[in-house]
Amino acid sequence: MQIFGVDIGGSGIKGAPVDLERGDLAQERHKVLTPQPATPDGVADGVREVVRHFDWSGPVGVTFPGVVTGGTTIRTAANVDKEWIGVDAAALLSERLDGLPVTVLNDADAAGVAEMHGGAGRGRTGTVIMLTFGTGIGSALFTDGLLVPNTELGHLELHGHDAEKRASTKAKEDHDLSWEHWARRVQKYLTHVEMLFSPELFIIGGGISRKAHKFLPLMEGVRAEMIPAELRNNAGIVGAAMAASAAGAAPVLVVEEATEGWAEPEGLA
């Protein structure tokens, strides 16, 4: 069973069909640049370009970098145009995709769901926090496998600023920070999040997770286990497809042992 997943980011819009039984992309993803400014119409055009690249004609799951309620409505838009606030994104994107059914959810929530069901968090209980480092910092909070949606912990205050302004991948690039300097910033952020939520595990995601060996060993004073995401920058696409499935588009493979495969994502239906 395949469903299409699209991941809208501050710099790029990427997507691909997802094989739900394998929990991975069925084809190589296609990516276009996020328009600047990232208005609803401009981003919707980008999503349409990605979906049409595959001649897709079925359900579509879409991530959004902000708070999404009810699988449809945008409530915040930190790294895209403020015109998004209040928009029924599911209706807008469905119209732009000629009526295809669309489900929308927070981007980090999507990545977290994918990692918890088929990646680094598979079979883990207790409090787990997935953090995605990119244009901003996204977060997904789980307690015994259940998602607490729309946490947006990248906007916690750190030294008088949104944490993502100091510790995101974009901050590293904009200020040409060394791995050591950036790791210290991330460490301070993680210890702050740890103080608030006491997680057993941090899953570090986003594109930079493929270079986790360059910064995770540099961080000290974080008591929780820290591991890189397994699905890396594809996690959002996979999680978006899972969300579309959970919304009723198609069944997700349910397995007897949560540690051996994919299970129906809870908290998204």
Side-chain angles (χ1 to χ4, degrees):
M1 174 65 68
Q2 294 184 11
I3 291 186
F4 203 93
V6 178
D7 189 10
I8 297 172
S11 59
I13 301 169
K14 53 188 180 292
V18 174
D19 184 328
L20 293 176
E21 294 187 4
R22 292 192 301 109
D24 204 352
L25 306 190
Q27 299 182 50
E28 184 177 350
R29 72 188 189 188
H30 181 65
K31 180 178 179 178
V32 300
L33 295 178
T34 301
Q36 302 299 330
T39 62
D41 279 341
V43 171
D45 285 343
V47 171
R48 178 176 60 185
E49 182 178 344
V50 169
V51 174
R52 285 185 172 178
H53 176 81
F54 294 89
D55 293 323
W56 185 258
S57 60
V60 179
V62 180
T63 78
F64 184 84
V67 172
V68 182
T69 56
T72 60
T73 305
I74 307 304
R75 297 302 184 196
T76 66
N79 294 308
V80 291
D81 197 274
K82 302 302 182 187
E83 288 184 16
W84 275 103
I85 297 174
V87 169
D88 185 333
L92 170 65
L93 294 172
S94 179
E95 183 275 330
R96 201 60 56 92
L97 296 174
D98 300 320
L100 297 182
V102 174
T103 300
V104 184
L105 76 163
N106 175 268
D107 55 351
D109 286 348
V113 165
E115 288 290 338
M116 290 297 290
H117 288 273
R122 183 173 60 242
R124 299 296 294 258
T125 57
T127 301
V128 177
I129 298 179
M130 167 94 172
L131 296 169
T132 59
F133 291 82
T135 304
I137 300 175
S139 63
L141 171 64
F142 296 87
T143 176
D144 289 333
L146 296 176
L147 172 68
V148 180
N150 294 311
T151 48
E152 291 287 271
L153 300 180
H155 299 298
L156 289 173
E157 184 176 313
L158 187 65
H159 299 299
H161 302 277
D162 270 11
E164 67 179 23
K165 301 300 183 184
R166 293 185 54 81
S168 65
T169 302
K170 185 176 187 297
K172 180 184 185 305
E173 295 170 350
D174 287 349
H175 300 287
D176 195 25
L177 301 178
S178 67
W179 286 108
E180 291 78 7
H181 192 170
W182 185 68
R184 286 196 297 272
R185 291 189 177 192
V186 175
Q187 174 186 312
K188 291 177 181 178
Y189 170 62
L190 292 183
T191 55
H192 185 55
V193 174
E194 187 172 57
M195 180 268 295
L196 294 172
F197 296 97
S198 302
E200 284 82 10
L201 174 67
F202 282 117
I203 301 174
I204 307 300
I208 205 164
S209 62
R210 68 181 182 274
K211 299 180 180 178
H213 62 283
K214 292 189 175 184
F215 62 91
L216 284 186
L218 300 175
M219 293 193 289
E220 301 176 350
V222 179
R223 290 174 293 177
E225 183 181 358
M226 298 178 290
I227 58 176
E230 291 182 8
L231 298 172
R232 304 202 175 165
N233 219 18
N234 289 335
I237 297 173
V238 174
M242 292 181 69
S245 175
V252 172
L253 179 68
V254 178
V255 296
E256 293 183 2
E257 295 292 337
T259 58
E260 295 182 359
W262 291 81
E264 181 134 7
E266 299 181 53
L268 290 176

